[in-house]
């Protein structure tokens, strides 16, 4: 009995390692497929370890094929690039470890995804590691559901600054809209946070609210919040990923129904939405680093992020 339990625990440990490989390393997004049952032979009942491995494989398949069902296209019309991420670029060029902190609320935490492998920070890590296979890149998920600027500022030091990040991707503003918080006060708190992050030498990318039915019900508040974050990005000279405009493009210009990228709650993204968001963000980070490597002059006073 003891040897059987030991074997099961060992198998579970292997499964956990596989899951970490999908979630953190994720070079291909797939962990293989189950062995087919030989013809004429019934499949044997699976123990805890076998069921765990099957769940790992299923999560990997879902992560791998999210974008094969619907292609992830850049917004039509293009626009400005992310500009310069000098700290990240210097670290990658020098072959030094890069730490990225994804800071935000439930859509950073990954609410709506079918597994941790499918949240945007893990998809971002997967894509960056695939492009820089020799680099030591860590993406820390510091998302916490239900929060906005007041709660985030209370944990800024412990969950962001203490990690000594090279890049902070700060998703903020959606819960402020839903809670009718003052956009000006949100802007004041976010500006204070950006100043603290910049003082450490880290690059910053802001992410504004999502284009989704529940946000669109408060269109006036959403417009004010998006405008406030845009002005703040100009003032502090940081990048901003215009998530609202990108998702609006998916719906209006690419004719994708909301159910293609938003779950049934009308607010949070699904696996495809997170995967496409991560792809667009990763591709422009890669483009920015590539320009710096080639010696191309990239404005350091970034005014806005616009996926190419």
């Amino acid at each position: 009995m003891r040897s059987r339990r030991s074997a099961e625990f060992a198998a579970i440990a292997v499964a956990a390692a596989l899951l970490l490989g999908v979630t953190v390393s994720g070079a291909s997004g797939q962990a293989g497929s189950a062995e087919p049952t030989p013809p004429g032979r019934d499949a044997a009942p699976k123990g805890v370890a076998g069921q765990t491995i099957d769940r790992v494989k299923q999560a990997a398949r879902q992560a791998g094929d999210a974008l094969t069902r619907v292609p992830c296209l850049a917004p039509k019309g293009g626009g400005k690039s992310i500009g310069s991420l000098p700290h990240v670029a210097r670290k990658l060029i020098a072959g030094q470890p890069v730490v990225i902190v994804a800071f935000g609320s439930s859509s950073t935490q990954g609410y709506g995804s079918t597994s941790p492998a499918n949240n945007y920070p893990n998809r971002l890590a997967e894509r960056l590691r695939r492009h820089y296979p020799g680099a030591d890149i860590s993406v820390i998920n510091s998302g916490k559901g239900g929060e906005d600027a007041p709660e985030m500022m209370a944990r800024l030091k412990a969950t962001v600054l203490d990690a000594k990040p090279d890049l902070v991707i700060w998703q903020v503003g959606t819960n402020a809209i839903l809670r009718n918080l003052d956009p000006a006060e949100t802007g004041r708190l976010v500006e204070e946070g950006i100043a603290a992050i910049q003082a450490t030498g880290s690059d910053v990318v802001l992410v504004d609210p999502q284009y989704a039915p529940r946000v669109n019900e408060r269109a006036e508040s959403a417009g004010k919040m998006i405008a406030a974050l845009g002005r703040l990005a100009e003032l502090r000279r940081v990048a901003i990923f215009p998530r609202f405009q990108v998702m609006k493009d998916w719906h209006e210009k690419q004719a994708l129904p909301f159910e293609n990228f938003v779950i049934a709650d009308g607010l949070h993204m699904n696996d495809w939405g997170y995967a496409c968001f991560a792809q667009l963000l990763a591709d422009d980070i890669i483009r920015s680093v590539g320009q710096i490597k080639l010696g191309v002059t990239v404005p350091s006073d970034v005014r806005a992020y616009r996926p190419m």
Side-chain angles (χ1 to χ4, degrees):
M1 178 65 73
R2 181 176 299 173
S3 61
R4 180 180 175 185
R5 287 181 178 175
S6 298
E8 285 197 348
F9 287 142
I12 291 171
V14 171
L18 283 172
L19 181 56
L20 286 174
V22 172
T23 304
V24 179
S25 298
S28 65
Q30 296 183 351
S33 57
E35 289 288 337
T37 303
R41 186 184 303 172
D42 293 335
K46 295 185 178 180
V48 174
Q51 293 171 8
T52 302
I53 291 173
D54 283 348
R55 287 196 294 271
V56 169
K57 290 177 177 178
Q58 178 63 22
R61 282 193 292 271
Q62 290 171 344
D65 68 7
L67 297 181
T68 62
R69 294 189 293 271
V70 180
C72 176
L73 304 176
K76 296 179 180 179
K80 294 181 180 179
S81 72
I82 195 172
S84 180
L85 295 177
H87 198 72
V88 173
R90 283 196 299 269
K91 288 296 225 32
L92 283 171
I93 292 168
Q96 298 174 341
V98 173
V99 176
I100 300 172
V101 173
F103 189 38
S105 57
S106 55
S107 60
T108 295
Q109 186 176 9
Y111 188 88
S113 63
T114 57
S115 80
N118 297 337
N119 64 41
Y120 108 74
N122 282 322
R123 296 306 298 261
L124 177 67
E126 175 189 353
R127 194 164 183 86
L128 290 176
R129 288 199 187 100
R130 186 182 298 138
H131 189 83
Y132 303 109
D136 180 2
I137 300 174
S138 301
V139 180
I140 300 170
N141 190 333
S142 185
K144 191 171 181 181
E147 290 192 347
D148 213 276
E151 298 83 6
M152 292 177 195
M153 285 299 296
R155 63 185 180 92
L156 178 70
K157 182 180 184 301
T159 63
V160 178
L161 302 183
D162 285 355
K164 302 186 184 308
D166 302 296
L167 170 63
V168 176
I169 303 169
W170 191 351
Q171 167 258 314
V172 66
T174 299
N175 287 316
I177 294 169
L178 300 180
R179 287 157 52 184
N180 292 317
L181 300 183
D182 180 9
E185 177 62 13
T186 298
R188 185 190 68 78
L189 290 171
V190 174
E191 182 178 5
E192 181 182 333
I194 290 173
I197 295 168
Q198 289 179 322
T200 70
S202 174
D203 299 323
V204 181
V205 174
L206 291 179
V207 177
D208 68 16
Q210 61 264 52
Y211 178 82
R214 281 185 58 194
V215 175
N216 297 346
E217 289 171 359
R218 300 170 179 265
E220 184 177 354
S221 295
K224 290 179 180 178
M225 182 62 65
I226 292 163
L229 292 174
R231 288 192 298 269
L232 177 58
E234 291 184 4
L235 176 66
R236 297 300 311 186
R237 296 185 174 182
V238 299
I240 182 165
F241 184 100
R243 182 170 53 154
F244 187 90
Q245 190 58 48
V246 168
M247 295 176 71
K248 185 176 182 181
D249 186 282
W250 292 347
H251 185 60
E252 295 188 356
K253 294 185 180 179
Q254 298 180 30
L256 296 181
F258 277 117
E259 55 265 29
N260 276 32
F261 56 90
V262 175
I263 64 172
D265 69 358
L267 179 62
H268 296 94
M269 287 186 280
N270 60 16
D271 288 347
W272 185 92
Y274 287 126
C276 191
F277 171 25
Q279 175 176 310
L280 294 174
L281 180 56
D283 286 352
D284 241 26
I285 290 172
I286 291 165
R287 185 177 296 109
S288 173
V289 172
Q291 288 175 324
I292 292 172
K293 282 183 176 180
L294 292 172
V296 176
T297 300
V298 182
S300 59
D301 58 337
V302 178
R303 297 305 179 92
Y305 174 110
R306 294 291 183 272
M308 299 287 282

